[in-house]
Each structure stands twice: as C-alpha cells, then as structure tokens.
Amino acid sequence: MSLEGLEARWDAAWTEQRTYAFDRTRTRDEVYSIDTPPPTVSGSLHVGHVFSYTHTDVVARYQRMRGREVFYPMGWDDNGLPTERRVQNYYGVRCDPSLPYDPDFTPPHEGGEGKSIKSADQVPISRRNFVELCERLTVEDERQFEALWRRLGLSVDWSHHYQTIDARSRAVAQKAFLRNLARGEAYQAEAPGLWDVTFQTAVAQAELEARDYPGHFHRVAFGGADGPVHIETTRPELIPAVVALVAHPDDERYQHLFGTTVTSPLFGVEVPVLAHPAAEPDKGAGIAMCCTFGDLTDVQWWRELQLPTRSVVQRDGRLSRETPEWITTEAGRALFGELAGKTTFSARTAVVDALRASGDLDGEPVPTQRKANFFEKGDKPLEIVTSRQWYIRNGGREWEQRDLRAELLGRGEELAFHPDFMRVRYENWVGGLNGDWLISRQRFFGVAIPLWYPVTADGEVDHDHPIAPDEATLPIDPSSDVPPGYTADQRGVPGGFVGDADIMDTWATSSLTPQIAGGWEWDDDLFARVFPMDLRPQGQDIIRTWLFSTVVRSHLEHGSLPWRHAAISGWILDPDRKKMSKSKGNVVTPMGLLEEHGSDAVRYWAASARLGTDAAFEVGQMKIGRRLAIKVLNASKFALSFGGDGGPTAQALDAAAVTEVLDRAMLAGLADVVERATEALEAYDHTRALELTETFFWTFCDDYLELVKDRAYGAAAEGLTVSPEATASARAALALALDTLLRLLAPVLPFATEEVWSWWREGSVHRAPWPDAAPLRAAAGDADPAALDAAGRALAALRKVKSEAKVSMRTPILRAELVVPSVHLALVEPVADDVRAAGRAQGLTLVGDDVEAALVRSHELGEA
RNA sequence: GGGCGAUUGGCUCAGUGGUAGAGCGCCUCGUUCACACCGAGGAGGUCACUGGUUCGAACCCAGUAUCGCCCA
C-alpha cells in the first residue's frame, strides 16, 4: 500500500464528481459558510498558508459531514502595492498616469526578479498599460496558488472563486463606499496624515509599523527671557516648523516658563511654552519642541492646544522651496533659502552646522535609537503632511451621531473568538484607535474612489460637492468614465469635472469579502443563504486590519457581525523558535513539502497544532502523519481481508452480529471517542479530536487487531475453538470500527481515508455523515470499554516475556501464569481466549492478585 | 512601559485540584503470515523559580525570571 499519487487522483475525482460543490438550494440554517481571507497572490507561498488553511479545511470537512452545506469559496487578493512592486521588477516598468494608453505595448523585460531593475531604468507606461500587466502577472500567480490548494486537498468550491480586483469586487467596494458616503460614514478631510515619501502615498494607522531607527539627540537652546531653554530633538531640521515648546504640567523644572514665550534659534520665531500631559518628563530634557509635524504627538498637541500650522516638509520629503512667511528675521530667511528644496537628511546636516556656528548647539549630537513610524512595506520613516483624503468612520474619532467605538466593542464581545483570549487584541485595537480609517491611496492598481468633482468657472476643483455615479453603472473608473450630466470633453476644463485620482486602500475592498463572495447586491438569493457567515479563519497579526475592518463594514452596512466565529491560527516557528520569514532565509517551498511528505502527512502536522498556538516547523511531525496515513491503508486492507470474496461491503456493517465481549468493549470505547471528538470539534478544538481518534486508532491496530486476528480468520489456535458466530462478531466489529474511524480521520487525512472508503463503500467519505455514538453504543450493549484495555495489558505482559527472552513473538507459550490486578480479573476472564490466541499461549492460567500491572509469574516457552 | 501567550523527559507537545502522559529520538530484541514508511519491550522528568491557598498543586492565587507576539 502506498500514498503515492493519491493527491492527484482524488483531486481529479472530487472535481469531476463535484464533491465540494455548494448546493445553493439550501437555506441559511442548513448552511455553514466560511469567509476565507483571500491570499495576496503576488506574495510568496509559505508554510504558514498551508498551516492555517488546513485548519480551516478541517472545520469545513467536519461541518460538511455533520450535514451542513458548506459554502467555502476562495478568493485572491491582487490589488495594492505588492503587485505593483512585483510588476515593476518583473517587467521593468513604472506607472506614469499622465501617459496615454499604448495598445501595442511590449514590456522591456519578462521575469525579472528582486531589485534587479533600477527605477531609473524602468520604462514609464500609462496607468491602463500598467494595470494590464498587473492583471497578466496575477493570473500566473493564481494558477500556482490553486495548484497548491488542490494538492493540499482544500475542499473548496472552485466555481465560487473571486479576485478582489475583478469587476464584481470593484462594484461591491464602490457601492459600499457610496452607501457609507450617503449615510455620513465616509467623509473627506484636509488633515495631517502619515505619508510615505518613497511610495508617494498616504498610509493608515493600521499599516503602521514602529521600528527602531538610529538618530541623534541634539541639545538645542531656545532663547528665553531668563536665559536659554534647552530641548533635545532628533529632528533639528524641523526647527523652522516649530510652533511651541511643551512640557508636562507637573514638571517642576518648567513651571516658571508656562505662559511665557521663547525664540527659536537660527530662525528667530517666537513660540509659547505650554503644558500638556503627553510630554514625557524623563525623556530627553523633558521639554519638547512641537512642530507641524514631527510625529504623532505633535499632531495631538497641534489639535488639542490649537496650535498654528507651519509645515515645511513636502510630500516629496524635501523642505518647501518657498521661505515661509512666519520666518521674518533676515538671517532666518537667508538660512531657510539655503535649506529650500533639500531632503530632510541634508537639511538636518545644514541646520546642525548652523547651530554649531551660532553656538546654539549644546555639546555634540548623541547617538540614540528611537522608534519611528514606517509604512509596513516601506523603508524610510514616514513624514506627516497635511492633505485632503477620504476617511471611513471606525470609532477612532468622535462622531456626534453615534458612539461607534462602543458599538464596535460590542460586536467584539458578540464574536466567538477561538481561542477566546484573542478577543483582547481586538479590544485593545478598537480601544486605542485615535483616528478614523484613511482609505485614500495615491496608487494605481486598486479600486478607484468612485467620485468626480466639479471644476468651477474659474478653474478651481470644488471638492466639497463630489459627484457620485448611479449605482447601476458600477464599477466605474472616474479617470475614464464621465459623470452623469457631463460630456467627455469637459474633463479638466472650467465648468467641467475631474475624477478622483486615488484608489481605495486594499482593506477597503478586502473588508468586504463576505459581501463579495456571498453575492451582495448582485445575487441576493445567494447572499441570504450564506450571510452572516459562520467562520472567519485568519492569523492573529491581521485582527487589527482584516478582521476589524470587516466588522466595521458589516456593522455599518448590515447592522450585524460579518461572521459568528473567528478562528485564529498561530505562527510557524523555525527550530530556533523564531517566526519563519523570507528575510531569514528559512522558508520552505510548500509544494516541495507536500511532494516530499504527502499532503495527508503535512495536514496532520498542521492539524496537530491548536488554534492560536504557535507551532514548530517539524518534519518529524509530518513523518508521524505519513506513518498514520500509511497505517490507515494497511490496517484497513487487513481488516477488510477477512471472509474472502473480495472482502466485506457495506452489508458487513451488521451491529446485531457483534456478540463477543472483546468486540463489544472495543465498540464501547469507540463510542466514547466519537462523543468526545465531536464535542471537541464543536468547540473548534480539532487537535483534541485528532488526538483522541489517533490514540484509539493505534490501540485498535496494536491490540485489538492482534487480539481478534485468529478469530476473524475463523482459524482457532491449537487447543481453542472458534464458533462461526464468534468469527462473524469479529468481522462485523472490524467493519463497524473501520467505518467509524475513517469518518473520524477524514477531515485530517482526506486522501488516505477516501482511498480506503472507495474500496468498499459507495460515494465519498467526505459526504458521508459524521459518526454517531448511539448505534455503536447499541452494538456494544453493556460492555465495559476497559475490557479491551485490560486485555491489551495482559497481551503486553505476554509480549514482554518473549521480548526479554529475545525470541520471536510467534514463539508459543506452553505454560504461563498471568497475574492481573484483581480489579481487572473480571474484565480479562471473558476475553481470555482472545488473549491466549494473540499470545500463542495455550497453557495460560489467569489469576488476580494485588499487582500494579499485569505480569507473568512463571512460564515455559516452546519453539517458534 | 502596557497587554496577551508560553515555560512539563534530548526534541515536539498533551494534561487545569487526587499516585507524572504521548509521539519522535535513544537502548535491547524480533520480524517479511496487513504494514521495514514494520512490530515488541525498556530506560529517561524534584512539571522555570519563590511564596501562598488546600488534607492534597504541573494545575488555583501572588510575585520573579526567561522566551514569543501585539501595542505604546
């Protein structure tokens, strides 16, 4: 028996037989729907995908066998920066939206990888050409993902797959946005926001990553009435943007300064000294310069202390080319003239030199590690610039109409997290939000913000009166489509219109996967059968993004949770207990892994890890899974081999034929396993269910199969007799047990169990009902499951004698006194003949005594 | 600095109040009669540490240490 080739064979069979096809005639209460996070196809496949998606598939298969019609679609997340960057490198191009479309464009490269093509060498192409290349590349990526998922055995209905960039997704995302806008949940604002200089785009709070960033503390003197006031700053180039000095209200050192003003060095701008609790007394000098804007604390001070706006850093990361009007001294204006247009980095050097020359720098700069905000995909610290962007309310800012934060916290309580402690990550995130959700992105490959703006007669864009399309026309592209009531030639001219040039944040689409997959507003019949969904599986890292944003959209649009359960998978750790990642070079190709060990084996490893718990990448665990899968094949072949004539069929499942005590005891134990495994799976604890089943299965193979072997053959050992009824009992019990065990193992080992099922049963095990303990209990009668265990221990004692005598297990025991704990005697006596047969121990005397475990007191061995 | 989780035999992990468990690895044997991608037997742990609660603690409580993740 071999596992080779099972994956390809059964994947083809399941596709052909539509085993996992969703039956959309079923009603919501009969359906179990899963909102699988669509993987980012341009990202690389890694072991973590295999791990967490296996967890989901185990749930899907279990629920399907429980009789629920499982809605389990798969989507691909294509849009956004990862794809754009990959396209730039792969084809050697970059997007320039000002260029016209070239229908005959051929990319200069094909298959470039990494950072091999410098941006200077990238060919500028139109937005439409660029998007076409994005689409071309993602098709290839999707093929690889689907092949992997099929190989892994995910029971997905592939006819329901979607892409977060396809027309339907764009329509859903735009419609949901327009609904948000109409209800006042979406708004535009001119506000300070985080800006990535490299990617030239705004960045949302959820995309932030705080990283250590080397810098220097510069001790700088401001001019005060009673002498210099020293502050320490890592960003002296922002001194021209200073609007106040801020210290903690309780800080003794600065009490006398509150309410006074000081003068900035070099630029001579007079600013107030103010008190605010966000100032940290033990950090630097304890008094900070507030600029517009150096960091997020500056934004808070600016807002709460009503400070003026004096920005000097532009979107390109350079200081403004014009000298600001608030700098009035001649020396100050002259110095700024030298800084104008410089990057923040070279401006910093120039300012430090000037401070040194003027004597306002106290000592030399001291190296420090500070935390700076980065875009999670960027490598330069973010700047804070003021710009006009679109936001969706998420409870992060006060809203006079509703207490959205409280409502969303309530949704968090309503949602069943598995494991439950993951809920606090949601609560911490929602509780700590300090702004609404910025959704505008200045990128190209994504869903366009579906709005135009009028251009006034004097050529100004009127952002306050956006023009929305009719819902029936969605999806639209405002850069090529024309708003109602206008003609194409009015684009960009006075009295005409302009389209919003931005796209939406990736999450603004991805947060709608239940709606996209479920057919919201284009297949309401389907939507009513699957929404709200039952399960959202995902990683703990995206609770604050994917999970939260999806809850926001569903709450706003439908007034409900998007799903009832959230199953959170842990990380994969390498042998050094570090998170596996590409940069560490310790990732393994998932397809190679599946080919090497077999899909059932890899699934076993994944299913052995509980939800929420990090798991070691352990090849050893996969080998155990492989051994288990092979054992399923071999033990099944053996159990089905009795009785000749090609083995038993479903007719062998005759509970009434089970009359022997040992057989009944085994079924009683199996009934317990069914009950407890079912309970565990209902509680989203697939690991416990697997452990229970697996433990029983090994006992079944090692002890029960050995104990009933002879009886099932119908061949009695010497000195014993076997009745036809006793043989029939063994065969029926084997068939019943195998039937049950295959179903219990099917969610974890879909290939091996399906293979065995096909030998003797009709249809697919994956559409067979989940086992029920009741019929097993009926067949077991009043048998005590401990009888199998006691018999197994008795057999082990006989084996030990042979093992210690270093003889074959086939060696007959001519005479032996087997001592069992007195409390076990009544259990072993009725099954003593099975023990005698399995131990080749014709002359076995059984006694009870006060012993810890069964042992052989005296014996005489024969010849093998 | 705050939050969450973890710490059990060489390794990976179960075990949530009543005499320490599994698999792998290791040691000793056996075997091709379902399974060598095999079988049997065996050795191996003061359950991170310190206090406390309890008749009794790996488990409950308090604190400490180390590791991981998330947020400042």
Side-chain angles (χ1 to χ4, degrees):
Chain A
M1 289 294 108
S2 159
L3 299 171
E4 305 310 320
L6 289 188
E7 291 92 347
R9 184 142 53 84
W10 285 111
D11 172 53
W14 292 330
T15 303
E16 198 255 314
Q17 290 157 18
R18 296 177 50 76
T19 307
Y20 309 122
F22 177 65
D23 173 4
R24 60 170 300 162
T25 65
R26 303 288 206 93
T27 55
R28 182 65 196 84
D29 57 315
E30 299 170 311
V31 166
Y32 187 90
S33 45
I34 302 173
D35 174 36
T36 313
T40 302
V41 284
S42 53
S44 52
L45 301 159
H46 53 86
V47 179
H49 282 115
V50 167
F51 179 72
S52 55
Y53 282 75
T54 295
H55 294 165
T56 310
D57 191 55
V58 169
V59 176
R61 289 179 182 277
Y62 166 69
Q63 293 290 348
R64 193 178 288 114
M65 293 176 78
R66 287 283 280 177
R68 310 282 290 279
E69 186 63 23
V70 173
F71 182 66
Y72 185 14
M74 184 64 63
W76 310 118
D77 189 27
D78 306 309
N79 45 352
L81 200 51
T83 301
E84 290 188 18
R85 291 175 83 180
R86 216 163 101 69
V87 163
Q88 287 178 355
N89 289 323
Y90 194 90
Y91 295 112
V93 297
R94 75 185 147 81
C95 181
D96 182 344
S98 66
L99 293 175
Y101 177 62
D102 174 1
D104 302 318
F105 176 73
T106 310
H109 297 88
E110 191 92 27
E113 285 297 340
K115 295 184 168 91
S116 52
I117 301 164
K118 287 189 214 134
S119 58
D121 299 332
Q122 290 170 348
V123 176
I125 60 173
S126 76
R127 178 177 175 150
R128 188 167 155 194
N129 283 113
F130 188 77
V131 168
E132 279 179 3
L133 291 178
C134 289
E135 286 166 348
R136 199 205 289 186
L137 193 57
T138 52
V139 165
E140 186 49 45
D141 290 331
E142 284 165 20
R143 248 198 290 276
Q144 286 190 35
F145 265 73
E146 182 173 334
L148 181 75
W149 287 161
R150 286 179 173 278
R151 176 93 187 191
L152 182 61
L154 298 190
S155 58
V156 163
D157 181 350
W158 289 101
S159 69
H160 280 272
H161 100 285
Y162 63 88
Q163 303 160 293
T164 55
I165 195 69
D166 64 26
R168 207 174 264 168
S169 297
R170 294 202 306 273
V172 167
Q174 292 183 335
K175 185 176 288 191
F177 169 79
L178 292 173
R179 300 268 180 101
N180 291 138
L181 179 60
R183 289 190 296 259
E185 296 150 4
Y187 64 91
Q188 56 185 330
E190 180 94 19
L194 292 147
W195 183 268
D196 189 294
V197 171
T198 311
F199 296 114
Q200 288 292 295
T201 184
V203 172
Q205 190 181 352
E207 291 168 309
L208 288 188
E209 203 170 276
R211 295 185 207 153
D212 280 322
Y213 191 70
H216 292 82
F217 268 130
H218 305 75
R219 192 169 157 84
V220 175
F222 276 64
D226 308 323
V229 178
H230 287 95
I231 58 110
E232 291 186 23
T233 178
T234 55
R235 302 202 60 186
E237 74 277 15
L238 292 179
I239 291 174
V242 69
V243 289
L245 296 191
V246 183
H248 196 277
D250 300 335
D251 196 325
E252 296 295 336
R253 296 168 293 178
Y254 301 109
Q255 293 296 328
H256 66 287
L257 290 175
F258 293 142
T260 70
T261 61
V262 293
T263 309
S264 68
L266 306 178
F267 302 97
V269 176
E270 190 175 343
V271 298
V273 181
L274 302 171
H276 192 280
E280 296 177 63
D282 52 356
K283 208 167 184 180
I287 184 162
M289 82 176 178
C290 174
C291 310
T292 53
F293 299 96
D295 60 26
L296 291 172
T297 314
D298 286 351
V299 177
Q300 186 186 358
W301 287 332
W302 169 79
R303 188 180 291 137
E304 296 180 14
L305 301 172
Q306 279 94 45
L307 297 168
T309 306
R310 291 176 186 164
S311 300
V312 297
V313 178
Q314 307 179 128
R315 293 185 181 194
D316 58 4
R318 293 170 182 272
L319 268 62
S320 66
R321 274 125 186 113
E322 313 227 330
T323 302
E325 80 282 354
W326 62 84
I327 298 174
T328 52
T329 66
E330 199 175 313
R333 294 189 69 82
L335 177 58
F336 197 92
E338 290 172 32
L339 303 177
K342 279 193 155 82
T343 65
T344 52
F345 302 95
S346 43
R348 183 175 311 156
T349 312
V351 169
V352 171
D353 288 345
L355 286 169
R356 204 176 272 129
S358 69
D360 293 313
L361 184 68
D362 183 12
E364 279 303 297
V366 180
T368 180
Q369 283 287 332
R370 63 187 170 111
K371 286 286 184 190
N373 284 317
F374 286 77
F375 178 33
E376 54 192 1
K377 298 178 183 77
D379 46 18
K380 277 192 194 145
L382 296 171
E383 292 293 346
I384 297 171
V385 302
T386 299
S387 56
R388 201 189 51 80
Q389 310 280 350
W390 281 96
Y391 295 83
I392 291 179
R393 296 189 192 277
N394 66 0
R397 266 186 64 193
E398 291 284 310
W399 186 21
E400 56 281 3
Q401 294 183 34
R402 289 160 69 173
D403 186 352
L404 201 50
R405 192 193 300 266
E407 291 171 28
L408 291 166
L409 285 169
R411 292 294 177 203
E413 285 171 33
E414 208 183 311
L415 181 60
F417 281 87
H418 306 286
D420 188 65
F421 66 76
M422 287 293 178
R423 183 191 318 280
V424 298
R425 293 185 187 243
Y426 175 93
E427 287 168 350
N428 290 347
W429 175 250
V430 179
L433 282 171
N434 54 32
D436 281 330
W437 176 13
L438 173 103
I439 59 156
S440 297
R441 290 295 182 280
Q442 289 68 44
R443 303 301 310 171
F444 315 108
F445 191 52
V447 179
I449 291 177
L451 294 173
W452 300 268
Y453 307 97
V455 178
T456 60
D458 51 4
E460 292 289 313
V461 175
D462 177 9
H463 286 110
D464 295 334
H465 300 91
I467 307 161
D470 192 294
E471 280 192 357
T473 64
L474 300 177
I476 62 134
D477 178 359
S479 72
S480 57
D481 293 320
V482 176
Y486 290 86
T487 55
D489 56 4
Q490 287 179 284
R491 184 182 297 275
V493 301
F497 69 94
V498 291
D500 193 310
D502 292 347
I503 60 168
M504 289 193 248
D505 171 20
T506 302
W507 303 112
T509 307
S510 302
S511 58
L512 295 163
T513 53
Q515 289 82 354
I516 292 168
W520 177 64
E521 291 280 312
W522 53 266
D523 188 347
D524 285 331
D525 175 76
L526 177 67
F527 195 63
R529 294 172 197 275
V530 301
F531 187 90
M533 300 212 173
D534 291 276
L535 179 67
R536 152 56 70 84
Q538 63 163 73
Q540 64 201 41
D541 54 328
I542 49 177
I543 288 175
R544 64 175 177 154
T545 49
W546 217 319
L547 186 145
F548 172 63
S549 61
T550 308
V551 169
V552 170
R553 303 308 287 282
S554 183
H555 178 70
L556 293 176
E557 183 62 40
H558 308 287
S560 78
L561 275 176
W563 354 261
R564 296 180 177 89
H565 299 270
I568 312 294
S569 293
W571 299 118
I572 304 303
L573 307 177
D574 69 11
D576 299 329
R577 302 214 61 79
K578 298 281 179 238
K579 194 170 141 187
M580 286 188 110
S581 71
K582 202 176 181 178
S583 58
K584 295 198 183 76
N586 57 6
V587 284
V588 182
T589 318
M591 192 55 104
L593 202 63
L594 296 183
E595 284 166 356
E596 185 181 349
H597 301 283
S599 294
D600 279 346
V602 176
R603 290 173 63 101
Y604 172 88
W605 159 72
S608 302
R610 288 176 301 164
L611 288 173
T613 306
D614 294 345
F617 177 74
E618 258 236 297
V619 170
Q621 197 66 11
M622 296 173 202
K623 289 185 171 160
I624 296 165
R626 185 173 177 83
R627 201 166 72 106
L628 177 64
I630 292 170
K631 196 78 173 180
V632 166
L633 295 181
N634 284 309
S636 300
K637 185 179 79 176
F638 185 52
L640 294 171
S641 68
F642 306 112
D645 301 338
T649 60
Q651 281 80 46
L653 297 165
D654 180 8
V658 183
T659 52
E660 293 290 309
V661 172
L662 187 74
D663 304 336
R664 293 183 152 206
M666 184 273 293
L667 293 179
L670 184 54
D672 288 345
V673 169
V674 168
E675 265 171 18
R676 293 162 67 198
T678 305
E679 213 171 281
L681 281 162
E682 284 298 310
Y684 290 83
D685 187 356
H686 53 253
T687 308
R688 181 92 188 119
L690 172 59
E691 190 192 338
L692 287 163
T693 305
E694 189 192 1
T695 302
F696 184 89
F697 178 70
W698 283 111
T699 306
F700 175 80
C701 292
D702 293 343
D703 293 344
Y704 180 74
L705 272 178
E706 293 298 328
L707 285 163
V708 299
K709 207 184 244 186
D710 284 4
R711 187 153 55 81
Y713 271 125
E718 202 179 327
L720 299 172
T721 54
V722 172
S723 67
E725 290 76 20
T727 295
S729 173
R731 292 179 184 174
L734 283 168
L736 284 165
L738 185 62
D739 174 78
T740 305
L741 286 165
L742 289 173
R743 296 178 209 234
L744 289 172
L745 291 168
V748 176
L749 309 175
F751 295 103
T753 54
E754 184 76 322
E755 173 70 13
V756 172
W757 194 260
S758 74
W759 296 342
W760 64 307
R761 308 299 300 273
E762 294 297 316
S764 168
V765 69
H766 302 300
R767 281 285 179 176
W770 184 251
D772 182 1
L776 296 171
R777 289 228 182 280
D782 58 358
D784 185 343
L788 174 58
D789 181 60
R793 286 167 192 274
L795 178 58
L798 299 180
R799 284 168 174 161
K800 184 171 179 176
V801 165
K802 297 181 191 178
S803 189
E804 285 174 349
K806 301 186 177 179
V807 298
S808 159
M809 288 297 141
R810 291 168 63 203
T811 306
I813 298 175
L814 302 177
R815 185 190 56 74
E817 186 184 33
L818 177 63
V819 188
V820 299
S822 302
V823 289
H824 284 175
L825 189 60
L827 291 170
V828 181
E829 266 178 339
V831 300
D833 275 356
D834 286 331
V835 175
R836 286 189 181 95
R840 303 274 182 272
Q842 301 93 312
L844 186 71
T845 322
L846 195 60
V847 297
D849 202 345
D850 183 21
V851 291
E852 289 279 308
L855 59 91
V856 172
R857 198 170 269 163
S858 65
H859 65 271
E860 187 185 334
L861 294 173
E863 294 290 324

